[in-house]
Amino acid sequence: MQTSIVPVSVFPSTANVLYIRSIALGTPPQYFYELQNVVVVPPVAEQLDPTTGAVLIAAQDEQTIVTVLKNGNVSMTEEQWDNWAAGPITEDEPYQLDCISTNLGLTRA
């Protein structure tokens, strides 16, 4: 799971995405997290020399560059675990991302 976050300085750059993965389903559950700097580079159109028709700049597809700035483990608090609603219509992913963002002192964008 991942979510955009309000940018936060993490040496040597700025994190703008929080990525989490469940690693233990105890009570409360534990997660591996990464603070990432994600940059989307737009596509580049091919550019030709107007006189010779030779390719000056080759076309490039859109690229996503992900740089991991920090990682570690974090848990939900007992209170968060107790307040996690159960049932088939529960929005699990947003709740988990909200909890872990809060525990790391981050704000979801």
Side-chain angles (χ1 to χ4, degrees):
M1 290 175 271
Q2 69 181 33
T3 186
S4 295
I5 57 173
V6 173
V8 60
S9 292
V10 178
F11 180 81
S13 187
T14 301
N16 58 3
V17 170
L18 169 65
Y19 166 83
I20 65 172
R21 183 178 68 231
S22 179
I23 57 174
L25 292 176
T27 51
Q30 297 177 350
Y31 300 84
F32 169 79
Y33 76 89
E34 290 180 349
L35 294 178
Q36 304 174 338
N37 176 273
V38 178
V39 177
V40 177
V41 179
V44 175
E46 181 177 72
Q47 296 182 15
L48 304 175
D49 184 308
T51 56
T52 66
V55 175
L56 296 175
I57 299 175
Q60 296 178 10
D61 294 332
E62 179 178 276
Q63 297 178 355
T64 302
I65 301 168
V66 177
T67 305
V68 176
L69 302 171
K70 183 175 182 177
N71 61 32
N73 297 327
V74 63
S75 297
M76 275 189 191
T77 65
E78 288 290 337
E79 181 179 357
Q80 290 167 333
W81 173 247
D82 291 342
N83 291 330
W84 191 351
I89 59 170
T90 302
E91 293 293 330
D92 289 339
E93 190 169 309
Y95 184 77
Q96 292 173 78
L97 289 166
D98 285 339
C99 291
I100 299 309
S101 295
T102 298
N103 294 352
L104 292 171
L106 304 170
T107 303
R108 289 181 67 191

